Amino acid sequence: MSLISPIGKRDHIQGNENALIELVEYGDYQCPYCRQAYHIIKKLQLDYGEQLKFIFRNFPLVNIHRFARLATTAGEVHD
């Protein structure tokens, strides 16, 4: 399977850049299911270590989460 938009410099990447296993999450900071997934992803990162690259992509659900876009904007602020 391949992504429509390949992983690039704009993505938020954790882990080994050369890992064979790539896990991409499209998340919303106000989503309760994304909050639950966070703990599962952290466990996978511990279990797979350098074998796993985790990529987070913002996917704000603005129709159901009032502050989704604001939270996404705040998450994109860089030094």
Side-chain angles (χ1 to χ4, degrees):
M1 177 176 274
S2 61
L3 296 169
I4 292 173
S5 299
I7 296 166
K9 294 179 182 187
R10 297 193 68 190
D11 287 308
H12 303 279
I13 301 172
Q14 292 179 347
N16 178 4
E17 296 256 345
N18 300 310
L20 294 177
I21 303 169
E22 295 179 336
L23 174 61
V24 179
E25 176 187 9
Y26 287 82
D28 175 330
Y29 292 114
Q30 285 194 280
C31 174
Y33 301 106
C34 295
R35 185 180 316 121
Q36 290 175 333
Y38 172 84
H39 301 288
I40 295 167
I41 291 166
K42 288 301 174 192
K43 180 162 180 3
L44 288 171
Q45 288 176 309
L46 285 173
D47 291 348
Y48 286 89
E50 291 296 308
Q51 299 174 63
L52 177 69
K53 174 176 21 176
F54 173 63
I55 300 95
F56 181 84
R57 290 183 171 175
N58 286 299
F59 190 75
L61 301 172
V62 295
N63 292 335
I64 57 175
H65 296 132
R66 181 177 174 194
F67 299 110
R69 183 149 338 269
L70 182 62
T72 294
T73 301
E76 292 296 327
V77 174
H78 300 282
D79 293 331

